[in-house]
Amino acid sequence: MRPFQYLQPATLADVIVAQREAPSAVPATFLAGGTTLIDLMKLGVMQPERVVDLRLAGSDFAQIRFDGATLRLGAFARMAEVADHPVVAASFPVIAQSLSLAASPQLRNMATLGGNVLQRTRCAYFRDPTWAACNKRTPGSGCAAVDGANRQHAVLGTSSQCIATYHGDFAQALMALDASVVLGGPAGTRTIPFAALHRLPGNTPHVETTLHPGEIILDFVIPAGPWASRSLYLKIRDRQSYEYAVASAAVAVAMNGDVVADARIALGGLAAVPWRAHEAEAILRDAVLDEATATRAAEASFAAAVPQSHNAFKIALGRDTLVRALLQAASMEVRHD
Ligand SMILES: Cc1cc2nc3c(=O)[nH]c(=O)nc-3n(C[C@H](O)[C@H](O)[C@H](O)COP(=O)(O)OP(=O)(O)OC[C@H]3O[C@@H](n4cnc5c(N)ncnc54)[C@H](O)[C@@H]3O)c2cc1C
Ligand code: SF4
């Protein structure tokens, strides 16, 4: 690991001052739980000059609050405490499940929500600097995965420059529930739809988000629509524990008898970014939710999928995952308080 400057400001105001007064124009890299960042620094993939540890400053943004209409999750809340929170589990099951099915208990105790949504891809070529060709790590260097081992790579949202998968789980739950994200930075505070946080790779796969330099994720804001309590996260992986998704579906459905009043769907393990399946949602709306409708919706979600040499199976797997998730959601027993 290369030497770096380490700062631990006590407040968010101090974080901003530390950035303004920094001798280098390069924005600082933030540290939260450290479970992604420290790994990547040890591997030599990320080599920040300055690391600003947010653990003290972020403590005001670690709360879980629900007022009956909106759930507010602080970006510095730990994955485990949100997964285990009784209100989250009962009223937003897709959130609790996406977190409890991720990583391991030790990691979930350490890792924060903000760090989770900003985790980097697990593409093996990205994580190993001895591979020269990786446009995400070294812009303009090429992409070793295109002609390499790409079984785990994406089939949706890729570009000729990068076919990496976005691997997190929680982001799909946020997408499906139409969450917003509150950001704070040198220019003040702003709120954007969570769906606008991640960028497709296009020609600049190294630019992964729409965050401005020095901006920090403070809160996630999730509306409690009628679909939130009938929601679930189905994660398919190579082994049943401590593994990333090969395919996953976050679904949230509001039903009027057998008929879908509203449906929100996000797919994971399959796309370059957390992926909202708008085509499937349009097919489901006002339809009876049975296997035939779910299959049509799933087929529509993958109409634009582009397989790589080793991952064509992901299209069929993704479709089956979504059908199963939708049928499970239809048969869920939902509490009406
Ligand atoms: C072995 C292993 C298995 C895993 N399995 C899964 C899995 O199955 N599913 C899954 O979803 N995840 C999985 N993960 C990823 C894990 O969940 C993430 O590493 C973790 O959530 C990151 O959170 P953190 O607080 O440790 O972030 P950090 O490592 O501290 O930060 C991650 C990134 O986010 C930035 N950052 C952090 N917080 C903020 C903020 N508030 N504002 C702006 N920038 C910020 C940092 O600068 C850094 O770039 C796994 C990780 C490991 C090591
Ligand atoms: S898929 Fe993306 S992250 Fe992986 S080697 Fe290619 S450019 Fe790098």
Side-chain angles (χ1 to χ4, degrees):
M1 201 189 281
R2 286 218 189 140
F4 57 92
Q5 185 190 12
Y6 172 81
L7 301 167
Q8 192 179 41
T11 66
L12 285 179
D14 293 342
V15 172
I16 290 166
V17 170
Q19 296 189 80
R20 283 208 195 104
E21 291 175 355
S24 151
V26 181
T29 298
F30 296 126
L31 174 77
T35 62
T36 284
L37 179 64
I38 302 295
D39 258 9
L40 292 177
M41 287 172 68
K42 285 186 191 162
L43 292 169
V45 175
M46 290 178 78
Q47 299 186 330
E49 287 175 19
R50 258 177 330 121
V51 172
V52 175
D53 184 340
L54 297 175
R55 283 174 296 179
L56 285 180
S59 56
D60 286 346
F61 294 90
Q63 289 158 17
I64 303 168
R65 285 164 289 162
F66 183 51
D67 64 8
T70 304
L71 175 68
R72 230 181 150 90
L73 299 174
F76 294 89
R78 308 279 166 174
M79 291 169 71
E81 57 184 308
V82 179
D84 295 342
H85 194 281
V87 170
V88 178
S91 302
F92 300 86
V94 66
I95 291 184
Q97 292 164 17
S98 71
L99 290 166
S100 61
L101 292 171
S104 65
Q106 292 86 348
L107 285 160
R108 294 194 295 270
N109 283 337
M110 187 87 186
T112 63
L113 299 187
N116 186 275
V117 301
L118 296 179
Q119 65 180 278
R120 316 280 314 266
T121 182
R122 305 298 291 192
C123 172
Y125 303 105
F126 170 75
R127 292 174 61 83
D128 180 353
T130 60
W131 287 93
C134 174
N135 288 323
K136 194 183 272 298
R137 186 168 23 81
T138 312
S141 60
C143 173
V146 168
D147 295 318
N150 51 38
R151 176 181 180 274
Q152 298 289 357
H153 287 67
V155 293
L156 292 164
T158 55
S159 73
S160 60
Q161 304 297 305
C162 179
I163 57 170
T165 304
Y166 173 82
H167 278 101
D169 291 302
F170 172 53
Q172 276 65 250
L174 293 172
M175 288 289 277
L177 295 180
D178 271 330
S180 305
V181 54
V182 182
L183 308 171
T189 304
R190 65 185 178 120
T191 301
I192 60 168
F194 181 75
L197 181 65
H198 292 89
R199 285 171 47 121
L200 285 167
N203 289 327
T204 53
H206 59 292
V207 186
E208 294 175 348
T209 71
T210 56
L211 288 175
H212 297 160
E215 242 176 359
I216 298 168
I217 300 181
L218 300 177
D219 272 316
F220 299 97
V221 183
I222 302 122
W227 50 83
S229 48
R230 189 184 290 280
S231 69
L232 62 86
Y233 188 66
L234 180 61
K235 177 172 177 177
I236 307 297
R237 39 192 165 169
D238 285 333
R239 59 177 181 204
Q240 199 45 30
S241 161
Y242 197 20
E243 191 52 279
Y244 287 92
V246 182
S248 72
V251 302
V253 189
M255 301 289 291
N256 193 356
D258 289 344
V259 174
V260 177
D262 207 344
R264 281 119 203 277
I265 299 168
L267 301 172
L270 296 156
V273 292
W275 192 263
R276 185 83 181 250
H278 289 292
E279 304 83 355
E281 295 172 6
I283 287 173
L284 289 166
R285 228 161 266 136
D286 299 325
V288 172
L289 182 41
D290 56 15
E291 189 161 350
T293 315
T295 303
R296 271 197 304 126
E299 279 166 0
S301 311
F302 289 89
V306 179
Q308 304 300 322
S309 45
H310 300 294
N311 72 359
F313 77 97
K314 276 195 167 190
I315 297 177
L317 182 66
R319 281 197 299 248
D320 290 351
T321 304
L322 179 52
V323 171
R324 207 170 113 194
L326 286 168
L327 296 179
Q328 278 181 18
S331 62
M332 262 175 89
E333 285 192 18
V334 176
R335 247 184 33 199
H336 296 286
D337 295 328

